Amino acid sequence: MEYATSAHSCCCGCGEEVVTPFTPTDWKMTFDGETISLHPSIGNWTLKCRSHYVIDRGKVVEAGPWSDEQVESERSRDRAAKARFYGQSPTVEPFAQPAPPKATPGFWRRLWSHISGRF
């Protein structure tokens, strides 16, 4: 509670440590006097196992895999929720677009440029 986080071994058994911060826009822990619940689900998208589960009243409930598109959509939603809560403009990360290829001048244009001195 002092650090407002939960740490546990990944529930898939891979042994990786999973840390869930308790903030208004992240996870919430509920203790009913006997068991603990963590909500929302825990998606370990950066781990090799990519496990996804909920801890509900001390039991692990598998939540099923997510596609890369679903993960990115949730990350975008999470960034926007944090920006709204903390009073910042959500940052939109532009899609990287390759620069259009430069057209290579044809033979006659290159020859004319060479003859006329316009390199």
Side-chain angles (χ1 to χ4, degrees), residues 98-105:
K102 291 185 177 183
T104 305

Side-chain angles (χ1 to χ4, degrees), residues 14 33 38 44 58 64 71 82 116-117:
C14 70
L38 287 176
N44 296 316
V71 171
K82 285 178 180 8
S116 66

Side-chain angles (χ1 to χ4, degrees), residues 58-73:
K59 293 188 170 56
V60 176
V61 179
E62 188 176 342
W66 276 13
S67 68
D68 290 339
E69 293 79 19
Q70 288 173 301
V71 171
E72 190 50 45
S73 176

Side-chain angles (χ1 to χ4, degrees), residues 1-76:
M1 293 312 299
E2 180 180 351
Y3 299 102
T5 58
S6 164
H8 63 276
S9 292
C10 181
C11 292
C12 82
C14 70
E16 292 283 340
E17 182 180 48
V18 177
V19 177
T20 54
F22 303 141
T23 72
T25 61
D26 289 305
W27 286 272
K28 312 253 183 294
M29 181 182 77
T30 306
F31 176 61
D32 65 9
E34 292 183 18
T35 62
I36 292 176
S37 298
L38 287 176
H39 287 84
S41 64
I42 299 162
N44 296 316
W45 315 127
T46 60
L47 300 181
K48 191 174 187 177
C49 66
R50 290 181 57 98
S51 62
H52 183 210
Y53 50 87
V54 173
I55 299 176
D56 186 36
R57 292 174 278 175
K59 293 188 170 56
V60 176
V61 179
E62 188 176 342
W66 276 13
S67 68
D68 290 339
E69 293 79 19
Q70 288 173 301
V71 171
E72 190 50 45
S73 176
E74 178 58 21
R75 286 179 175 156
S76 292

